[in-house]
Amino acid sequence: MKVLWKIALLLVVLLALFYFMGSRVQENEPLESPVKHGTAIPSSDKEFVDMTAGQKRPGTGLSTFVGKSSEKLIEAFGEPDRIEPSAYGYDWWVYSKAARMMVGVGKGTVNQVFSADTDSDLSPIVIGQNINEVFRFSIIESEVNVTLDENIYTFTLNSQDLKDRILLKYEDLYAQVYVDAEDEIIESVRFIDPKTLVIHQPYDMEFMGELVTANLPSSTVQMEVDRSMERQIFELTNIYRERHGVEPLNNDYWLSLLAQNHSKDMAIENYFSHESPSAGNLSERLKSFGIEHKKAGENIAANYVDAIEAVHGWLNSPAHRSVLLDSDATEIGTGAYGKFYTQVLIKPDKKENMPSYLEK
């Protein structure tokens, strides 16, 4: 009889451990962009050596729209599913259904095209292609120069950039090739014009001449930009999840409100952590919202150029990747406030224990 009691007690302990492990909350180290926007270094005496004049510009594919009028874009793809502002003075034309791409449009002209869709024509680059194939047919430099009138800008790619965020130079056009460094597979591509690339400053940059910058958006526009980036983070997360054989997530209002609050809190209170001085850690914040869950994870990031760069950063950080591609998660909330980004993924508790807002 004593043996049976010991076995029963052991089973209870094991079940309790299993339950609490299943209810764990994952918080990773904060992920900060390796390049802080606005830290370009002036260099009046830098010797300008152009390593390459740039490959011939692609004659087909989405890159051909960069530099053309938005009317040409409409002729080819129709009206976008939505138009939303960026933090750099241009608008994002988002095609989220058929074409699944994002197009930057400023003053009626296309300044960039981004896509992570395997069906997109991103010639000469192919989504899903092994990055080593790109190395074979492209000139890869650790320093890439951009000239605008009499001004010279030099981007320096570090060793990590050369693995997962390559910059290719064409004639009056650049391509940022986003790579899944773990699988060495191309995940997405951004074709961008020289001026917009300089304004973004996505890599370490030195310059001679005048520094080209964008006007800061008003507080009202910035709020719209934040909501735009939240939608983009949600959509890009699901695109990458689908690519890796993981079910897409449902966008949850209350989780998004929680994520928004955390991004705003970090920006206003000047800290960068999962632990809020006023609201506590993720577990405490979820509890304060009454969000029951069996599993939860949170990714935060700061100082990335935009949603594209932030999600790419999470994908290429092993700990953050495990949250972004968690097959147990079914719900997501996203929050952006300036250059602070938050995403929270959960596996809800059983339906009978779920709050009413999660009942579908």
Side-chain angles (χ1 to χ4, degrees), residues 203-218:
Y203 308 92
D204 288 322
M205 189 178 85
E206 292 184 57
F207 67 97
M208 288 193 300
E210 295 182 5
L211 181 60
V212 180
T213 59
N215 294 326
L216 291 175
S218 66

Side-chain angles (χ1 to χ4, degrees), residues 48-285:
F48 175 63
V49 179
D50 202 355
M51 302 298 291
T52 173
Q55 305 170 74
K56 184 178 179 180
R57 183 167 176 158
T60 60
L62 293 177
S63 69
T64 61
F65 288 95
V66 178
K68 292 184 178 178
S69 71
S70 55
E71 293 177 357
K72 295 293 184 182
L73 192 68
I74 293 174
E75 289 175 11
F77 299 101
E79 296 286 346
D81 296 305
R82 65 180 192 268
I83 296 177
E84 46 197 26
S86 76
Y88 303 98
Y90 57 81
D91 288 329
W92 280 116
W93 287 26
V94 181
Y95 292 82
S96 57
K97 297 175 183 176
R100 295 185 77 179
M101 64 181 179
M102 292 167 52
V103 182
V105 177
K107 298 180 179 178
T109 301
V110 174
N111 59 50
Q112 64 189 298
V113 178
F114 168 86
S115 180
D117 189 359
T118 53
D119 293 329
S120 293
D121 184 355
L122 297 164
S123 301
I125 305 164
V126 179
I127 300 295
Q129 183 179 21
N130 189 286
I131 189 58
N132 294 313
E133 295 179 20
V134 176
F135 277 96
R136 283 197 289 270
F137 70 73
S138 300
I139 301 172
I140 311 296
E141 300 285 357
S142 59
E143 285 196 352
V144 179
N145 292 306
V146 180
T147 56
L148 297 175
D149 299 324
E150 301 300 320
N151 306 305
I152 302 170
Y153 308 87
T154 301
F155 290 106
T156 300
L157 280 66
N158 59 37
S159 59
Q160 189 61 41
D161 293 329
L162 293 171
K163 290 181 181 178
D164 64 34
R165 211 166 50 110
I166 297 167
L167 181 62
L168 301 179
K169 183 177 182 180
Y170 298 97
E171 296 171 343
D172 199 34
L173 177 73
Y174 295 81
Q176 288 184 269
V177 182
Y178 297 100
V179 181
D180 181 339
E182 181 173 308
D183 297 335
E184 296 187 334
I185 296 296
I186 296 173
E187 289 283 358
S188 55
V189 181
R190 184 193 322 232
F191 290 106
I192 188 167
D193 70 21
K195 182 178 180 180
T196 309
L197 180 64
V198 171
I199 290 173
H200 281 185
Q201 297 180 39
Y203 308 92
D204 288 322
M205 189 178 85
E206 292 184 57
F207 67 97
M208 288 193 300
E210 295 182 5
L211 181 60
V212 180
T213 59
N215 294 326
L216 291 175
S218 66
S219 57
T220 301
V221 172
Q222 184 61 57
M223 287 180 62
E224 296 177 12
V225 170
D226 293 340
R227 301 294 83 78
S228 299
M229 288 194 291
E230 291 162 3
R231 285 187 289 270
Q232 293 165 16
I233 289 172
F234 167 67
E235 292 174 350
L236 285 171
T237 296
N238 273 343
I239 288 174
Y240 290 144
R241 284 173 67 88
E242 290 175 21
R243 181 84 47 75
H244 289 83
V246 184
E247 288 294 317
L249 300 162
N250 300 310
N251 194 14
D252 183 81
Y253 170 80
W254 291 103
L255 282 176
S256 290
L257 186 59
L258 182 148
Q260 289 167 10
N261 285 353
H262 191 60
S263 289
K264 182 178 180 180
D265 194 44
M266 286 190 292
I268 293 177
E269 299 300 329
N270 193 29
Y271 72 93
F272 187 37
S273 169
H274 294 281
E275 181 97 21
S276 165
S278 57
N281 59 28
L282 175 59
S283 181
E284 292 167 329
R285 286 182 276 122

Side-chain angles (χ1 to χ4, degrees), residues 288-300:
S288 70
F289 272 71
I291 299 176
E292 300 290 338
H293 60 280
K294 285 192 172 181
K295 190 176 184 181
E298 181 176 65
N299 286 333
I300 59 176

Side-chain angles (χ1 to χ4, degrees), residues 311-329:
V311 176
H312 177 72
W314 285 329
L315 183 69
N316 278 286
S317 167
H320 299 84
R321 179 192 185 93
S322 68
V323 171
L324 191 145
L325 300 180
D326 187 350
S327 60
D328 291 331

Side-chain angles (χ1 to χ4, degrees), residues 37 88 190 200-202 229 303-307 309 339 341:
H37 190 267
Y88 303 98
R190 184 193 322 232
H200 281 185
Q201 297 180 39
M229 288 194 291
N303 294 323
Y304 282 91
V305 168
D306 53 22
E309 296 269 346
K339 288 293 191 295
Y341 309 93

